[in-house]
Amino acid sequence: RKFALDTEMKVEEFSREVKEYYKIFVESGPKAESNTLDAGLEAMHTSKAKLLDFSSRKEQLVKTEKLFGLSISTFHELKLMEEGIKEYESLYTLYDDYKKALNEYTNTPWLKFEIGQLKKSCEEWIVRVKVILKNREEDRLCQKLVLELSGFNEMTTFLEKLKKPAVQQSHWDKILEGIGREKEFNMKTGKVSQVLELKLQDYKDLLEEVLNQAEQEFRNEETLKEMEKIWRELKLEMSIKKEYEDTPLIRGIEDIRDRLDDCVTRLQYISGNKYVHAVRDKVNLWQKYMNTINDVTECWLKVQSKWIN
């Protein structure tokens, strides 16, 4: 009888401990809507460890109760804790996966950062959160997770644009100046974490303006490179005819004129572009080249025509 009484006292003490912790579980555990996601995740880890400990001790007490023929205690609060943890486990598992992946990406140097894999992960997170959200649209913790992932998904769109080859340090400097964070990021030495800390999604208009400028300047540069390639590869064709004393005569001039007209048109478009500043000197130089080519070929053709006639 003494051992039975001792067991009853242990059960009563254990029951009190469970009830006291259950109050904490309700007020600040993983189900508490007042929690941040980080606080909820920490509470989830703590609660699961606590539940595991409680379950092990309960099992021992139940065995002892059976041994002494005592009524089997149910500890209803443990069942409620287990249900609460199960209800939010998928939510916090997703958030934990998101945090771990984010930590891995944020420690990556900006120049080595592969945006494609991050976008793929983000798409998977969005799918998973939609499954969790079914029939739980009013759940505030679910809403917090949706807001977090949606915001980050939007951020990845900007990260993808910022990773384009068109964006140079000069564009970063303009962005940093616009948000009052000058000299806080160097694309050659910086990390992804530094970019995320800037919270650039809060400056959409500025980003769109600078990114558009970068894209236009890049197109201008590409156009000039293409023109240089054209003229480097273009050959001046000559023909030799005996009736003109084996003198080389220029031929295929129409192709040169067509290329010349096309390049002049392109240069006029670039020079009239509001983003010409970055390539102004190159444009001026190429306009001189085109004028020289035009003058030389016209003079050549006139001399050639007179000589033939």
Side-chain angles (χ1 to χ4, degrees):
R1 181 59 185 166
K2 180 180 179 299
F3 290 112
L5 287 173
D6 185 51
T7 299
E8 287 175 343
M9 288 178 62
K10 287 182 179 179
V11 168
E12 186 178 343
E13 183 182 343
F14 179 71
S15 179
R16 241 188 342 262
E17 185 181 349
V18 169
K19 287 178 180 179
E20 287 175 3
Y21 185 79
Y22 181 69
K23 289 180 182 179
I24 297 173
F25 180 82
V26 172
E27 293 172 0
S28 58
K31 288 184 64 175
E33 293 186 347
S34 59
N35 276 338
T36 62
L37 290 170
D38 286 325
L41 179 59
E42 185 177 350
M44 174 61 81
H45 291 319
T46 303
S47 297
K48 288 174 78 172
K50 198 70 176 176
L51 180 62
L52 187 63
D53 175 59
F54 280 153
S55 298
S56 176
R57 290 163 62 188
K58 172 194 170 183
E59 186 178 347
Q60 292 301 318
L61 286 172
V62 169
K63 285 181 179 179
T64 307
E65 285 178 326
K66 288 179 178 179
L67 180 64
F68 294 112
L70 301 174
S71 299
I72 305 302
S73 303
T74 56
F75 307 109
H76 181 60
E77 289 80 8
L78 285 183
K79 182 66 175 175
L80 294 176
M81 281 177 58
E82 186 178 352
E83 291 173 353
I85 288 173
K86 186 176 180 180
E87 181 182 0
Y88 284 88
E89 189 165 22
S90 60
L91 184 149
Y92 285 112
T93 297
L94 170 54
Y95 185 63
D96 196 27
D97 291 345
Y98 161 73
K99 292 281 289 184
K100 288 176 180 176
L102 199 58
N103 183 62
E104 180 182 343
Y105 286 120
T106 54
N107 288 324
T108 304
W110 177 252
L111 291 181
K112 294 183 178 180
F113 176 49
E114 295 290 342
I115 185 63
Q117 184 57 47
L118 179 58
K119 281 185 67 67
K120 183 179 178 181
S121 297
C122 202
E123 289 168 2
E124 292 174 355
W125 297 331
I126 294 296
V127 171
R128 287 169 64 185
V129 80
K130 285 180 179 179
V131 173
I132 295 171
L133 198 60
K134 285 182 179 178
N135 303 318
R136 295 171 67 178
E137 290 83 357
E138 302 303 318
D139 188 304
R140 292 188 64 185
L141 288 170
C142 285
Q143 291 172 357
K144 288 178 183 180
L145 183 57
V146 169
L147 188 63
E148 174 75 22
L149 293 178
S150 297
F152 188 75
N153 188 45
E154 183 179 18
M155 184 60 195
T156 59
T157 302
F158 288 113
L159 291 177
E160 185 175 27
K161 292 179 180 179
L162 288 166
K163 280 294 293 180
K164 288 185 176 181
V167 181
Q168 300 298 313
Q169 186 61 45
S170 60
H171 303 115
W172 273 106
D173 292 341
K174 189 170 183 178
I175 292 171
L176 295 171
E177 181 182 356
I179 64 176
R181 305 279 291 273
E182 290 91 341
K183 299 180 180 179
E184 288 196 23
F185 180 73
N186 185 306
M187 62 184 295
K188 292 183 178 180
T189 59
K191 292 186 176 182
V192 177
S193 56
Q194 292 174 275
V195 178
L196 297 179
E197 287 168 6
L198 295 173
K199 295 188 181 300
L200 297 177
Q201 64 269 31
D202 296 338
Y203 306 92
K204 295 178 185 177
D205 292 342
L206 173 64
L207 271 182
E208 291 294 352
E209 178 186 344
V210 176
L211 289 169
N212 181 55
Q213 176 185 342
E215 191 63 34
Q216 293 297 327
E217 290 177 352
F218 183 74
R219 288 178 184 175
N220 290 342
E221 287 280 5
E222 289 299 299
T223 297
L224 293 175
K225 288 179 181 178
E226 185 180 344
M227 286 173 51
E228 181 177 358
K229 184 174 183 293
I230 288 171
W231 289 102
R232 282 187 181 280
E233 295 178 355
L234 189 63
K235 295 181 179 180
L236 186 62
E237 296 184 10
M238 309 293 290
S239 62
I240 298 177
K241 297 184 178 181
K242 291 184 177 180
E243 59 265 36
Y244 299 123
E245 302 176 0
D246 294 333
T247 300
L249 301 177
I250 188 172
R251 68 184 182 87
I253 195 63
E254 289 305 317
D255 185 32
I256 294 177
R257 282 175 171 165
D258 289 343
R259 297 296 179 92
L260 189 60
D261 289 341
D262 177 59
C263 289
V264 168
T265 301
R266 291 191 188 190
L267 289 170
Q268 288 174 342
Y269 174 78
I270 295 175
S271 61
N273 191 304
K274 62 184 283 189
Y275 302 109
V276 68
H277 177 74
V279 292
R280 171 68 72 184
D281 291 342
K282 290 182 180 179
V283 170
N284 290 339
L285 183 61
W286 272 100
Q287 285 177 327
K288 290 180 180 179
Y289 287 161
M290 295 302 100
N291 289 333
T292 299
I293 292 172
N294 181 65
D295 292 344
V296 169
T297 53
E298 289 301 319
C299 181
W300 190 327
L301 289 172
K302 286 181 181 179
V303 172
Q304 180 173 286
S305 178
K306 289 180 179 180
W307 185 85
I308 291 173
N309 294 328

